[in-house]
Amino acid sequence: MVKSSLQTNGIHGDRSTPTEFLVIENLTKSYRNPDGSEFVVLDNISLTVQENEFVSLIGHSGCGKSTLLKMVAGLERPTSGLLTLEGKAIRKPGAERMMVFQHYSLLPWLTVRENIRLAVDEVLDRASHAEKSQIVNEHLAMVNLTAAANKYPDEISGGMKQRVGIARALAIRPKMLLMDEPFGALDALTRGKLQREVLNIWEANRQAVMMVTHDVDEALYMSDRIVMLTNGPHAQIGEILEVPFPHPRDRATLREDPLYYELRNHVLNFLDQHFGD
Amino acid sequence: MPMMNLAAVFAAIAQASWNRTKLFMVRDTVVLPALGFLGILLLWWGVALLRRDLMPTPWEALLSNLDFILHPFYQRGPGDLGVGWLLLASLRRVLIGFGLGAIVAIPIGFLVGMSRPMMLALNPVIQIFKPVSPLAWLPIALAIFNLADPSAIFVIFVTSLWPTIINTALGVSSVSQDYIDVARVLEMPKWRQVIKIILPASLPYIFTGLRISLGIAWLVIVAVEMLTGGIGIGFFVWDEWSRLNLSSVFLAVFIIGITGLLLDFAMGQLQAWVTHRRPVNS
Ligand SMILES: Nc1ncnc2c1ncn2[C@@H]1O[C@H](COP(=O)(O)OP(=O)(O)OP(=O)(O)O)[C@@H](O)[C@H]1O
Ligand SMILES: [Mg+2]
C-alpha cells in the first residue's frame, strides 16, 4: 500500500523521462574540528527531487538538515559530491532557490514591509514600481501581516517573524523553495493555518519544495516524500517514505485514513530507533 | 449619566497615577541631580572658606563672572571677545577636524573590517598610533602648516580617526552571517551588499566610534588651544590662569563640561534617529 506512489506516476506519466530537477549525488560535508581532525556531518547523501515535488527532511536535532538545505541553496560548499539543478552544477546562491531561514534572518532596521520589498526589489528588478508594491501587499495579506506591515522585527512575535520570512520567500517566486523549519515557532492554530496557506499556494502553483521539519504530522500532511536522516555525525539517508495521498489534501480526511496512522507510526518508529545511538 | 461619572472617575484615577509618576520623574530627573551639584558646590565653598588665598567661593566666582555670563557675545576689541565667541571658535575647530576624521575613518574602517589583507596591513599601524596622545602630533602639525588654526584642526582630525576606524571595522566584521546569507540568496551584488546590508547593520558600531571620537576631540581641543593660543575656550583657560583670574577658570570648566555633554547628547540623538534604536549605552 505504501508503495502505490501515485504522485510521481500521475505527474510524469505523459513524459518520456521524469524531470530530475534537483540531483544530489554522493554528497559529503565535513567541518574541521579545532584540533584539525575532520567532523563529518553528512556522509554520502544521494537524492533527486522532481520539479514539482514537495519533499520533507526529518531527523534529530544536529544531524545536518540545515546544512543539507544550505548546500542546496549554495550558501555552503559540499566537501565532496555533486549538486545540480536542471543539469547545472550549483556553485553559488541564487534567487531561484529561495530559502526560508530557520532563524528568520529578517533585517532589523527594515520594517516588515521593507524586508519583503528588499527581496522583491532585488530579484524582480524588471517589474514596475506599482507591480512590486502590489506583490508585496499580496504577500503581506497572504500571511496575515497587513496590520503589522510597518512594524520593525523586534516589535513582532517569533511566529510573525517566521511568517515574514515565508512571505519574503514566496514573493520572489522561486523555482525551488527551501524551508528550514518554517512553522517551528508558531502556535498550533497559526501553524495549521499557515501550513494550509503554503499548501494552497503550492497546490495551485507546483514547484520543487524541500522542507526541514521535526513534526511528523506536518511532513505527512504537506509532502510527497519524507526523507529520514539518521543521527549525526556521519548522517545518512536512512529511509525515504512515499506519502501517497493525492493533493489537494484535507487534514480531516487524512485523519480518518488508517494508512495515515500506519505511515505516522512508521516515521515515529524510525525516529525512535535512531534516538540515542 | 452613570457612564459620564464612570469616565470621570477613570480620568481622575489616570490623572492621579500620572501625577504620582510625574512626582517620581521630578525626583529622579531634577531633585537628585540637583543634590549632586549642591554637594560639589558645598565642597568648593568649604575649601574656599578654609583657604581664602587658594580660590574664590562660588558666590564670589559668580559675581566676578557676571559680565561674561550676561554678555557672552560681546566684542570689545580684536582680542577681547565674549566667551560665546571663544566657545564657537573651539567648536568650529572640533567639528571640522572631527568631520574630516569621520570622512576618512569610516571608509578605512570598512576596508579593515571587510578585507583580511587590509586588516593585517593596517591593524599594526592603528595599534601603534592609537595610544599616542594626540598632543604629540601638534609639533608635527605646526611644522607642516606653520599656522595655529590648521594645526589644531589637524590634531583633532588625527584624534578622531582611531576610535571611529576601530569601531567601524568591528561593526563591519561582526555583521551577522544570517544577513549576508539573505543578500547572497537574493544575488545582491557586493557593492549593494555594502550599502544595503553591511552599512545599516554596522551603524550602531559606527556611531559608537563617532561618539567616542567626538568626546576625545572635545577633551583634546582645550589642551591644544592652551598650547597654540589664539581664540578659543582652551586658551581662555590658560590666559585667565596666567592673569591669576581663577574665577573665570571655574566658569570655563563649567562651560566646557556642559558643551561636551551637549555634544554627546546630540550625537546620541542622531544615532537614535539614524538607527531606529536606542543608543547602546545611554
Ligand atoms: N560552520 C560550522 N562549523 C562547524 N560545525 C558546524 C557548522 N555548521 C554546522 N555544524 C555542525 O553540523 C552539525 C549539523 O548542524 P545543522 O545545523 O545542519 O543541524 P540541524 O539538523 O539543522 O539541527 P536542528 O534540527 O537543531 O536545526 C551540527 O553538529 C553542527 O555542530
Ligand atoms: Mg537546523
Side-chain angles (χ1 to χ4, degrees), chain B residues 141-199:
Chain B
L142 284 169
I144 297 172
F145 297 106
N146 247 322
L147 278 171
D149 205 42
S151 302
I153 291 173
F154 179 80
V155 171
I156 297 302
F157 165 79
V158 174
T159 306
S160 310
L161 288 179
W162 318 122
T164 306
I165 292 179
I166 291 168
N167 280 280
T168 303
L170 181 68
V172 167
S173 62
S174 56
V175 172
S176 164
Q177 187 61 41
D178 290 355
Y179 305 158
I180 307 282
D181 281 351
V182 171
R184 288 172 64 203
V185 168
L186 296 172
E187 295 177 83
M188 198 183 275
K190 192 74 189 173
W191 65 270
R192 213 151 57 221
Q193 285 184 29
V194 170
I195 294 167
K196 291 185 120 178
I197 310 285
I198 299 176
L199 176 66

Side-chain angles (χ1 to χ4, degrees), chain A residues 65-66 102 180-181:
Chain A
K65 304 180 295 294
S66 296
Q102 184 170 7
D180 200 345
E181 301 186 34

Side-chain angles (χ1 to χ4, degrees), chain B:
Chain B
M1 299 274 107
M3 282 303 277
M4 289 295 275
N5 287 340
L6 213 60
V9 168
F10 274 127
I13 292 171
Q15 186 64 45
S17 71
W18 170 236
N19 280 344
R20 208 165 42 238
T21 36
K22 217 160 63 179
L23 215 64
F24 281 117
M25 260 163 57
V26 167
R27 189 196 66 183
D28 290 355
T29 60
V30 179
V31 178
L32 292 178
L35 280 177
F37 280 112
L38 194 67
I40 283 290
L41 223 57
L42 286 176
L43 186 71
W44 174 7
W45 219 310
V47 173
L49 283 179
L50 282 176
R51 297 281 313 271
R52 301 284 330 174
D53 52 318
L54 207 63
M55 59 179 81
T57 64
W59 181 246
E60 289 164 353
L62 184 71
L63 287 183
S64 65
N65 282 323
L66 220 49
D67 182 37
F68 285 129
I69 296 169
L70 292 179
H71 312 106
F73 288 105
Y74 72 71
Q75 276 176 309
R76 294 170 192 155
D80 193 7
L81 298 171
V83 278
W85 293 115
L86 306 182
L87 190 65
L88 285 181
S90 299
L91 275 174
R92 182 186 140 267
R93 291 189 191 104
V94 163
L95 292 182
I96 294 175
F98 168 77
L100 292 175
I103 289 170
V104 172
I106 293 174
I108 293 180
F110 265 82
L111 287 179
V112 172
M114 287 175 64
S115 127
R116 211 180 128 69
M118 272 296 183
M119 203 273 273
L120 292 174
L122 292 180
N123 193 40
V125 178
I126 295 167
Q127 295 305 328
I128 286 181
F129 285 151
K130 188 185 66 160
V132 176
S133 166
L135 289 175
W137 291 93
L138 188 58
I140 301 170
L142 284 169
I144 297 172
F145 297 106
N146 247 322
L147 278 171
D149 205 42
S151 302
I153 291 173
F154 179 80
V155 171
I156 297 302
F157 165 79
V158 174
T159 306
S160 310
L161 288 179
W162 318 122
T164 306
I165 292 179
I166 291 168
N167 280 280
T168 303
L170 181 68
V172 167
S173 62
S174 56
V175 172
S176 164
Q177 187 61 41
D178 290 355
Y179 305 158
I180 307 282
D181 281 351
V182 171
R184 288 172 64 203
V185 168
L186 296 172
E187 295 177 83
M188 198 183 275
K190 192 74 189 173
W191 65 270
R192 213 151 57 221
Q193 285 184 29
V194 170
I195 294 167
K196 291 185 120 178
I197 310 285
I198 299 176
L199 176 66
S202 45
L203 267 184
Y205 286 85
I206 296 175
F207 268 90
T208 303
L210 289 175
R211 246 174 123 171
I212 298 171
S213 289
L214 188 59
I216 301 179
W218 187 241
L219 283 180
V220 165
I221 193 65
V222 175
V224 169
E225 287 173 351
M226 281 183 178
L227 293 171
T228 59
I231 293 163
I233 196 79
F235 183 65
F236 175 78
V237 171
W238 194 246
D239 196 34
E240 295 299 303
W241 152 245
S242 35
R243 293 178 197 191
L244 296 179
N245 201 352
L246 217 51
S247 301
S248 315
V249 176
F250 279 110
L251 176 71
V253 166
F254 273 106
I255 291 177
I256 292 167
I258 289 167
T259 309
L261 189 69
L262 289 178
L263 282 177
D264 190 61
F265 179 76
M267 207 64 197
Q269 289 298 307
L270 190 65
Q271 174 171 30
W273 180 70
V274 170
T275 60
H276 295 294
R277 294 181 210 155
R278 297 277 103 210
V280 184
N281 35 14
S282 61

Side-chain angles (χ1 to χ4, degrees), chain A residues 60-67 69 102-103 180-181 212 214:
Chain A
H60 287 295
S61 182
C63 71
K65 304 180 295 294
S66 296
T67 307
L69 219 57
Q102 184 170 7
H103 305 293
D180 200 345
E181 301 186 34
V212 171
H214 280 131

Side-chain angles (χ1 to χ4, degrees), chain A residues 155-172:
Chain A
E155 298 169 331
I156 61 178
S157 71
M160 292 162 91
K161 286 181 207 172
Q162 216 154 24
R163 283 185 275 160
V164 181
I166 294 171
R168 174 173 67 183
L170 292 173
I172 63 169

